[in-house]
Amino acid sequence: MPLFAKKTGRKILDFILPPQCINCSTRVLQQGGLCADCWEKISFISKPFCFFCSFPFNIQIEDESVCGPCARKRPLFTRARTAIYYNEASKPMILRFKHADALHITPLFAEWLYQAGQDLFQQAEYLVPIPLHWSRLVYRGYNQAALLSHKLSKKAKIPHLPDLLERNRRTPSQGDLTAKEREKNVSNAFKLKEKYKQLIRNKHILLIDDVFTSGATVRACTKVLKKSGAKQVDILTLARVIKPEI
Ligand SMILES: [Zn+2]
Ligand SMILES: [Zn+2]
């Protein structure tokens, strides 16, 4: 569509449907954004953080420092990056995006992921969303991680393989499980689709998901990819649950 037609279309649309904050519906200046109040409550994860898992540090610390858990046991993935804290402000938005068809939030979330993943895109050869089990996909109608990965793929100009991984069994929701239970819950839950076995050999994969809680899900997927010969696996998630370091 020519630019002038797009601009005119936008003006007409703004007149009929004035732009609203995508979180609280307050009037805002531009479609697809947040109002000042909602912006203020969102906390972005920024440096200094753990080189491997991006756990944020409260004190200024050297680049490439690592957190306690990563120092004790280096993760199988190379780097995990995340855009925002999963907290009281972001949780309702993410839950609506995940379960209540609030898909108009996708472009904003994809932009946040794009900013948070800058140092991962130079090496990544494929973007791969964490899959849902088919029965959950039928019930929900969409996979929120695949929507984000698809949008990101266009922005970062990296191919997107939404069906590379399959969830081969339906795992109970991770919601109320402890870290140990989560690990057990998702172990062996994923497999690589046969037709991609050759394709990913020696490749650099970037896994995309919405929330990083204990990391059990991304670790299980990383294991499958590494076992199948992927050279490097990085992780990019929208939000992360940050508990004080143990
Ligand atoms: Zn708002
Ligand atoms: Zn770490």
Side-chain angles (χ1 to χ4, degrees), residues 53-228:
C53 75
S54 77
F55 182 93
F57 297 126
N58 293 330
I59 45 161
Q60 204 58 40
I61 208 157
E62 272 176 53
D63 256 9
E64 307 204 357
S65 295
V66 298
C67 71
C70 289
R72 284 194 287 278
K73 191 176 178 213
R74 209 190 131 166
L76 202 53
F77 54 76
T78 303
R79 292 164 298 177
R81 297 290 176 261
T82 193
I84 59 172
Y85 286 78
Y86 189 71
N87 57 17
E88 288 314 308
S90 65
K91 191 175 167 182
M93 278 174 81
I94 293 170
L95 290 181
R96 275 171 42 224
F97 171 62
K98 221 167 152 152
H99 302 290
D101 289 335
L103 304 184
H104 58 293
I105 306 178
T106 315
L108 183 69
F109 282 174
E111 178 59 33
W112 290 350
L113 277 169
Y114 183 64
Q115 297 303 331
Q118 283 303 314
D119 53 342
L120 307 178
F121 298 137
Q122 285 139 13
Q123 290 177 295
E125 288 166 282
Y126 294 108
L127 301 187
V128 175
I130 302 293
L132 291 179
H133 187 259
W134 68 266
S135 59
R136 198 160 277 169
L137 187 63
V138 167
Y139 176 74
R140 207 182 282 177
Y142 61 96
N143 172 5
Q144 72 284 355
L147 293 179
L148 293 173
S149 172
H150 176 69
K151 260 254 163 338
L152 254 187
S153 150
K154 287 188 180 163
K155 287 173 97 66
K157 300 187 175 56
I158 300 168
H160 165 235
L161 296 175
D163 61 341
L164 182 106
L165 289 170
E166 285 178 311
R167 211 179 259 252
N168 56 24
R169 62 187 174 82
R170 196 182 160 143
T171 48
S173 169
Q174 302 263 80
D176 300 319
L177 303 180
T178 64
K180 220 175 186 160
E181 287 165 341
R182 281 168 186 270
E183 206 80 48
K184 206 172 153 212
N185 187 29
V186 293
S187 66
N188 305 319
F190 300 95
K191 72 169 195 228
L192 180 74
K193 217 173 209 169
E194 200 63 36
K195 66 174 184 180
Y196 290 118
K197 280 212 160 131
Q198 283 307 315
L199 185 77
I200 69 148
R201 286 197 101 44
N202 278 319
K203 291 292 191 300
H204 186 131
I205 310 288
L206 178 54
L207 285 172
I208 310 292
D209 206 4
D210 51 0
V211 184
F212 184 115
T213 307
S214 69
T217 305
V218 292
R219 271 197 296 277
C221 292
T222 303
K223 212 167 162 183
V224 171
L225 294 171
K226 292 282 255 197
K227 258 192 178 167
S228 310

